[in-house]
Amino acid sequence: MNPRPLPEFSSWRPFYTLLQKEIRRFLRVASQTLVTPVITASLYLFIFGATLGERISVLEGFSYAQFVIPGLILMGVINNSFSNVSSSLFMSRYLGNIVDLLVTPVTPTQFIMAYTLAAMLRGLSVGTVVWLISCLFATLPWAHPVAAIIMACMASFLFAQFGIVAAIHADNFDSLSMYTNFIILPLIYLGGVFYPISILPPFWAILSHLNPLFYLIDGFRYALLGVGDLSILVSFGVVAVMSLVLFLWAASLIMRSHRLRN
């Protein structure tokens, strides 16, 4: 006779099952979910590393390649963390199999964390490969390695929550893609990936501080290079607040599960 499973393990079994399902989902199409974003980032690295990296400099003491690589790494983390959750959850809504998931004994927190951890695994995997490829073009000093890892994890967590919110609010594929094309990409490009905010005219520099991705990118660059436009503590504080707000927002939407069925 098999021993009866512990209640603690049984209560978390749906969470582990959902997590495994999400990980296997993006690994099954790794050529699209992992290889394609790495190739895209490699093209950026070639353009800004091999062609412009040693010819221009926007930060004293560092080549342009060293300046732009942290932003490119974080861009890979952000895009893939968001797209992993948003596409998976929206497809479940679109196909109607989300109803099967809602009748399982998965708590809202377990639901969110299963999708989030799978998205973080994909986002951080792409970011790691982009960093390894970037070593061919420039060497980063890794001034604060622990802070860099934490910031990358926070960025991945933040955009996984945003992916949940977007997937629940999207009514069709076009509206889902609008989050990427009209919100995430503009914020990334205007957040200081390719230029320091300090070189902008005063009005545009102040306006850039309203961009939430500026704090992610600047904090991550500070952790890698040791210099940035803001204190790393300020960046961490802003990112932590944004992560908490989006997590609570996502949790409230999950608890109102009628929205997931629409």
Side-chain angles (χ1 to χ4, degrees), residues 158-159 187 208-217 238-239 242:
L158 172 63
F159 277 87
L187 290 178
S208 295
H209 284 73
L210 301 178
N211 183 346
L213 266 68
F214 162 65
Y215 298 92
L216 278 169
I217 296 169
V238 173
V239 174
M242 291 191 297

Side-chain angles (χ1 to χ4, degrees), residues 27 94 102 182:
L27 289 178
Y94 181 78
L102 293 176
F182 296 103

Side-chain angles (χ1 to χ4, degrees), residues 34 46 65-66 87 110 141-142 158 164 172 224 226 232 249 258:
L34 298 176
F46 176 77
Q66 288 176 310
S87 60
Q110 292 175 340
W142 284 84
L158 172 63
I164 294 174
N172 49 54
L224 289 178
I232 194 171
W249 187 5
H258 68 276

